[in-house]
Amino acid sequence: AATNQVPAGEPDLAELNRDLLRWVVKNKRAPASFEDFAATSGVTIPPAPPGKKYVLAKDMHIKLVQQ
C-alpha cells in the first residue's frame, strides 16, 4: 500500500482536507472556522503536534500553524 509520506508525528492534512471538501459539499457552505468544521463534521481529528494548532486558511485548506 502506498503511503502519503506524512512526517512522523504529523497528522494527515491531505485526509483532513478531503473530509473538509466532503463537509462543504454536504453543507453547501464553508465552515466558519476550523472549530466549526471539527465540531460538526463527525470526523475524528488527530491531536495537533505540540506547539501547533489547526486553522482554516483563506484558501479553504486546513493547515498547522505555531500557537
Side-chain angles (χ1 to χ4, degrees), residues 23 31-41 45 53-56 62:
W23 189 99
S33 63
F34 177 78
E35 291 75 18
D36 180 27
F37 163 72
T40 59
S41 66
I45 309 288
K53 66 177 181 171
Y54 294 106
V55 294
L56 187 59
I62 296 168

Side-chain angles (χ1 to χ4, degrees), residues 16-36:
L16 277 177
N17 280 298
R18 284 190 289 276
D19 293 328
L20 174 63
L21 186 59
R22 284 191 282 273
W23 189 99
V24 169
V25 169
K26 186 176 107 180
N27 293 280
K28 299 182 176 60
R29 68 175 180 89
S33 63
F34 177 78
E35 291 75 18
D36 180 27

